[in-house]
Amino acid sequence: MNNKVSVVKCDRYSEVQNAVENAVSLIGGIGKFVKKGDNVVIKPNLVSKKKPEEAVTTNPEFLHAVIVMVEKAGGNVTIAESPGGPYNTAALKGVYSVCGVDKAIEGTNAKLNFDTSFTEVHFPEGKTVKKIPIINPILNADVIISLPKLKTHAMTSYTGAVKNLFGTIPGTYKAELHFRLNERKSFCSMLVDLHECVKPTLSIMDAVWGMEATARRQVRTDI
């Protein structure tokens, strides 16, 4: 394994453009991952209709910064996500609006995905799942950039770059997997299978604001 990780301090979203570009430059620069003309799918965490200040989803300013960086490299950007609940046009419109994604693409050429088709992918290498339904925008991409949100999670304790790919599974299929794999070990093993199947090109975590939740309350944390 030859994966590289960089960490760059960023105190506020007004500084996020420089922080994102600096972080990627430390691992080779965006040109290492994106070539001119590539169809780039950016997969933020848009798990549900939450406002940016709640720190549940990828912040729109963070998303905008990544779009700008990718377009500078010549990539054609599509934003794609399968949030919790139904995977249909109405649900996507609601999530994009409340989470601020509509504003994130302003001033760019990025497009929002409304293609709700998916394909069952056979993955014989999987340890827990051998067949995985995955939304087609992900499967049709030249480059996949995952933008996880730093959060705690009731089952996995922590949400990061691996867990973020659960949003590449369409709609209620996610609920089915939660039901079938209701123990941490089996659920996390499935997430690793999914990550190895999707193989994102690059993951950039939004950790300017994080979220820490307990059974009773959920609070934003300034990292």
Side-chain angles (χ1 to χ4, degrees):
M1 184 177 291
N2 192 31
N3 295 329
K4 292 184 177 180
V5 176
S6 70
V7 179
V8 171
K9 182 177 175 61
C10 183
D11 292 321
R12 53 189 62 85
Y13 284 106
S14 60
E15 302 170 355
V16 77
Q17 188 73 55
N18 286 336
V20 163
E21 294 188 10
N22 288 343
V24 176
S25 71
L26 290 172
I27 55 173
I30 192 62
K32 177 180 176 181
F33 306 99
V34 176
K35 306 302 180 187
K36 186 175 181 180
D38 278 347
N39 292 318
V40 180
V41 167
I42 296 179
K43 194 280 179 204
N45 184 318
L46 305 174
V47 63
S48 60
K49 291 193 287 186
K50 297 290 186 180
K51 295 179 180 179
E53 57 268 26
E54 295 180 80
V56 176
T57 55
T58 304
N59 189 279
E61 292 185 72
F62 188 92
L63 174 57
H64 179 83
V66 177
I67 294 170
V68 169
M69 178 177 63
V70 170
E71 290 191 340
K72 284 180 183 177
N76 302 311
V77 176
T78 300
I79 311 301
E81 164 74 307
S82 170
Y87 184 51
N88 55 43
T89 299
L92 289 174
K93 284 182 177 179
V95 167
Y96 290 150
S97 176
V98 175
C99 295
V101 180
D102 290 346
K103 292 184 178 180
I105 66 170
E106 289 180 358
T108 75
N109 293 312
K111 299 177 181 178
L112 302 179
N113 173 64
F114 291 102
D115 174 6
T116 57
S117 63
F118 62 92
T119 300
E120 187 171 70
V121 177
H122 290 263
F123 188 63
E125 301 94 331
K127 293 184 178 180
T128 299
V129 288
K130 306 291 185 181
K131 294 186 293 184
I132 311 173
I134 296 176
I135 60 175
N136 282 340
I138 292 291
L139 298 177
N140 296 332
D142 298 316
V143 175
I144 300 167
I145 299 180
S146 174
L147 304 185
K149 182 71 172 179
L150 179 62
K151 300 185 290 184
T152 57
H153 187 269
M155 178 176 276
T156 62
S157 297
Y158 169 80
T159 287
V162 174
K163 174 67 173 60
N164 190 45
L165 295 182
F166 199 46
T168 65
I169 294 176
T172 54
Y173 281 91
K174 292 192 287 294
E176 178 184 325
L177 286 168
H178 267 298
F179 179 78
R180 282 174 44 207
L181 307 171
N182 56 13
E183 295 182 353
R184 178 181 294 187
K185 185 175 181 180
S186 59
F187 186 77
C188 289
S189 178
M190 175 276 297
L191 292 176
V192 172
D193 287 343
L194 174 61
H195 184 276
E196 290 305 296
C197 181
V198 172
K199 289 191 179 297
T201 311
L202 176 66
S203 298
I204 313 172
M205 175 174 278
D206 173 10
V208 182
W209 291 343
M211 188 199 78
E212 183 175 4
T214 66
R216 292 188 176 183
R217 67 192 185 103
Q218 165 181 312
V219 294
R220 191 185 89 193
T221 303
D222 295 322
I223 306 302

